[in-house]
Amino acid sequence: QSVLTQPPSVSGAPGQRVTISCTGSSSNIGAGYDVHWYQQVPGTAPKLLVYGNTNRPSGVPDRFSGSKSGTSASLAITGLQAEDEADYYCQSDDSSLTDSVFGTGTKLTVL
Amino acid sequence: EVQVVQSGAEVKKPGDSLRISCKASGYIFTNYWITWVRQMPGKGLEWMGRIDPSDSYTHYSPSFQGHVTISADKSITTAYLQWRSLKASDTAIYYCARILHLINGPMVHNWFDPWGQGTLVTVSS
């Protein structure tokens, strides 16, 4: 069961900006746990996109940025490209359930 | 290069046992935990549990406790996910990943990188 809620889908035209939200609770994001984001292109393994709320691993374009406030976090993608079409998942830790929890996932469609 | 490489796809019958593997390379195996994640067909990611390869301490999600076993052999830098009796509902892709973490006071923040390529497990009579 996912305890982090994401919109099922978002879409945008090439070049546009989209945001994906990740809503948690007082036992995970609201407790101060960091939020991390993964990109999963269909048919491939997830790939780390943002860690520690705002940090990008080497090689991830600066078009991707993360933020966190209260019990929620967001992933913003600017200058949308066709290759960004994928599923995106947030992940955090939870003090009342398991160690780690994933969001419900969001499918990004580039129109 | 830091990487984790998983064993190949498996087709099993209900009631069969199975062990899949996750071979780590490019880093000190015992310095980082390993996690396993399930993705059922067309569904999202589910955290299953983790292991500390230095002492084989494990922690499981309540959803998977008692149904799977996570283990590791540090002599060959390999982690495993094992079932004693598979069910059709175990059909899924299973991913392993290295856990990176940051300790900030009483809080430990965990994230996963890199991920293995995934192992498809199909259970069907």
Side-chain angles (χ1 to χ4, degrees):
Chain A
Q1 75 287 15
S2 296
V3 296
L4 304 180
T5 302
Q6 302 178 229
S9 63
V10 296
S11 62
Q16 285 190 331
R17 177 182 187 270
V18 297
T19 61
I20 299 172
S21 61
C22 173
T23 302
S25 68
S26 59
S27 64
N28 40 69
I29 300 174
Y33 286 105
D34 287 348
V35 179
H36 321 286
W37 293 90
Y38 303 89
Q39 178 193 58
Q40 186 178 31
V41 174
T44 70
K47 168 192 162 187
L48 179 67
L49 206 58
V50 169
Y51 67 95
N53 303 317
T54 60
N55 303 294
R56 286 184 306 276
S58 174
V60 173
D62 60 6
R63 301 187 297 105
F64 296 90
S65 62
S67 63
K68 175 190 160 185
S69 178
T71 58
S72 295
S74 289
L75 175 71
I77 310 172
T78 59
L80 265 182
Q81 300 180 4
E83 68 202 48
D84 299 332
E85 193 160 281
D87 295 320
Y88 292 83
Y89 294 91
C90 59
Q91 175 252 315
S92 187
D93 295 291
D94 193 292
S95 60
S96 67
L97 297 172
T98 59
D99 273 9
S100 296
V101 289
F102 285 102
T104 49
T106 298
K107 180 177 181 59
L108 168 63
T109 301
V110 181
L111 303 170
Chain B
E1 179 192 5
V2 174
Q3 60 178 352
V4 289
V5 178
Q6 300 183 228
S7 50
E10 301 274 2
V11 179
K12 293 291 186 179
K13 296 187 184 308
D16 284 352
S17 63
L18 174 65
R19 188 177 77 169
I20 61 175
S21 66
C22 172
K23 168 75 174 173
S25 62
Y27 69 97
I28 299 174
F29 184 61
T30 50
N31 282 1
Y32 298 87
W33 301 338
I34 292 281
T35 192
W36 287 93
V37 174
R38 183 176 78 175
Q39 187 168 39
M40 299 179 76
K43 302 298 184 182
L45 304 174
E46 300 174 88
W47 185 79
M48 299 177 70
R50 61 164 170 82
I51 186 166
D52 180 348
S54 69
D55 60 7
S56 289
Y57 174 81
T58 53
H59 180 76
Y60 297 91
S61 161
S63 298
F64 294 93
Q65 177 85 47
H67 187 56
V68 298
T69 301
I70 297 172
S71 61
D73 185 339
K74 56 188 177 184
S75 70
I76 56 172
T77 67
T78 299
Y80 301 98
L81 180 64
Q82 182 174 346
W83 295 260
R84 282 192 298 180
S85 181
L86 286 160
K87 305 174 184 177
S89 57
D90 292 318
T91 295
I93 298 174
Y94 294 87
Y95 295 100
C96 68
R98 183 181 68 163
I99 300 177
L100 297 171
H101 69 270
L102 173 68
I103 300 173
N104 186 354
M107 306 187 79
V108 181
H109 309 272
N110 301 294
W111 65 98
F112 312 136
D113 183 59
W115 292 61
Q117 80 277 22
T119 296
L120 174 62
V121 174
T122 304
V123 185
S124 173
S125 54

